[in-house]
């Protein structure tokens, strides 16, 4: 089969959490451009509606669900509802997550100042909600013996990252290993699961702190390419992992970071 044919997604149903902006929107855009019907979800109803309108204007087939992934039962209801409406779910991006704020190089991010309530909230959103998303999707994919699940980790989950908070780095490391652990159960059913590990991208995560030139310069100092990533630059990798072109890939945690994880 030609490579361009392997990247086509016509007739497939995709779910993307955290799809209203940033990397989640780019992931939704990537699969919509290749013909998938995309169910975009996000907690921000207004931003979600605007994002969906952008994809529809470009010819994409999309629908929306306002979804707070801290409500674990709501995740399962959303995925079950998609299958009830469309008869299948083929691609799942477990992307929604939160930042933990400053890293341990700052006084605010030091261990002694970590807010345990915030820690627990990030554990629920960045890890437990991802597990529930995987479990809910896999229940349907296993029955059809096909499906692709893509989780958003981070290079902060692959190494020490002084610019990222403890809870963020810890939960992103956990989801990377959750992907590896899931392969043991899912691979025999022909369900592929992989993770994307972004470096610093110019998005609104963490209240958009990377839009502050001083903060951005601190992140860029550790990036060999010498700049932040733009969300559209994640689209190629997202499409690869969502498509039949990655049929022999599972359990991978793939950095996309301008070379930051190279040293």
């Amino acid at each position: 089969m030609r490579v361009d044919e392997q990247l086509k997604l016509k007739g497939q149903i995709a779910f993307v959490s955290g799809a209203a902006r940033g990397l989640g929107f780019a992931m939704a855009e990537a699969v919509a451009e290749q013909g998938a019907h995309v169910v975009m979800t996000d907690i921000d109803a207004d931003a979600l509606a605007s994002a969906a309108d952008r994809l529809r204007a470009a010819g994409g087939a999309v629908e929306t669900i306002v979804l707070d992934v801290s409500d674990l039962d709501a995740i399962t209801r959303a995925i079950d509802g998609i299958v009830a409406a469309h008869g299948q779910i083929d691609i799942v991006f477990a992307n929604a997550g939160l930042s933990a704020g400053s890293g341990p190089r700052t006084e605010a991010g030091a261990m002694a100042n970590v807010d345990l309530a915030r820690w627990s909230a990030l554990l629920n959103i960045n890890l437990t909600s991802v597990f529930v998303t995987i479990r809910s999707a896999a229940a349907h994919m296993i029955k059809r013996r096909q499906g692709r699940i893509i989780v958003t980790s981070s290079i902060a989950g692959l190494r020490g990252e002084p610019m990222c908070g403890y809870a963020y780095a810890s939960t992103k490391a956990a989801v990377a290993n959750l992907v590896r652990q899931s392969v043991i159960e899912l691979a025999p059913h022909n369900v592929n699961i992989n993770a994307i590990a972004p470096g610093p991208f110019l998005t609104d995560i963490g209240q958009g702190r990377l839009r502050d030139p001083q903060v951005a310069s601190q992140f860029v100092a550790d990036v060999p390419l010498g700049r932040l990533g733009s969300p559209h630059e994640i689209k190629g990798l997202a499409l690869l992992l969502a498509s039949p072109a990655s049929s022999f890939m599972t359990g991978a945690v793939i950095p996309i970071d301008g070379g930051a994880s190279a040293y």
Side-chain angles (χ1 to χ4, degrees):
M1 182 184 294
R2 291 167 52 97
V3 171
D4 56 346
E5 292 295 325
Q6 291 179 347
L7 294 171
K8 291 181 179 177
L9 301 174
K10 188 172 178 60
Q12 298 200 29
I13 307 299
F15 166 100
V16 186
S17 66
R21 53 176 60 86
L23 300 186
F25 177 80
M27 292 167 184
E29 185 176 42
V31 294
E33 287 173 346
Q34 293 300 314
H37 180 97
V38 185
V39 182
M40 303 172 69
T41 76
D42 202 281
I43 192 172
D44 186 333
D46 291 340
L48 182 62
S50 177
D53 286 344
R54 286 175 60 190
L55 292 192
R56 291 190 188 104
V62 301
E63 61 185 273
T64 61
I65 299 174
V66 177
L67 177 64
D68 177 356
V69 296
S70 71
D71 183 345
L72 303 177
D73 290 338
I75 298 171
T76 300
R77 288 196 302 270
I79 290 174
D80 288 352
I82 291 166
V83 175
H86 297 281
Q88 66 195 70
I89 188 164
D90 303 284
I91 302 159
V92 165
F93 285 93
N95 168 71
L98 289 178
S99 165
S102 301
R105 278 184 176 163
T106 68
E107 182 179 356
M111 264 185 209
N113 295 320
V114 170
D115 182 334
L116 291 182
R118 177 73 170 175
W119 174 282
S120 295
L122 261 80
L123 184 67
N124 188 46
I125 291 172
N126 287 8
L127 176 57
T128 308
S129 79
V130 172
F131 172 73
V132 171
T133 302
I134 294 169
R135 182 175 68 178
S136 301
H140 298 287
M141 291 175 173
I142 286 170
K143 293 175 184 176
R144 299 180 65 231
R145 293 192 57 79
Q146 66 180 59
R148 291 181 173 79
I149 301 171
I150 303 97
V151 170
T152 301
S153 179
S154 169
I155 62 163
L158 306 181
R159 64 174 200 179
E161 177 48 73
M163 294 300 295
C164 292
Y166 277 101
Y168 183 82
S170 299
T171 54
K172 291 303 185 178
V175 297
N177 215 49
L178 173 59
V179 164
R180 299 182 185 105
Q181 186 78 357
S182 299
V183 171
I184 300 167
E185 183 172 355
L186 299 183
H189 301 283
N190 197 41
V191 176
N192 294 38
I193 179 166
N194 294 286
I196 295 173
F201 276 75
L202 187 58
T203 71
D204 290 327
I205 193 168
Q207 290 75 54
R209 67 191 185 114
L210 278 171
R211 298 187 185 280
D212 179 335
Q214 184 174 356
V215 174
S217 68
Q218 292 176 295
F219 276 93
V220 167
D222 292 328
V223 178
L225 283 182
R227 62 178 178 84
L228 300 176
S230 177
H232 77 269
E233 292 180 292
I234 211 160
K235 290 171 63 175
L237 178 56
L239 177 58
L240 170 66
L241 296 178
S243 73
S246 61
S247 57
F248 200 55
M249 295 176 65
T250 195
V253 181
I254 305 172
I256 179 166
D257 61 5
S261 58
Y263 59 82

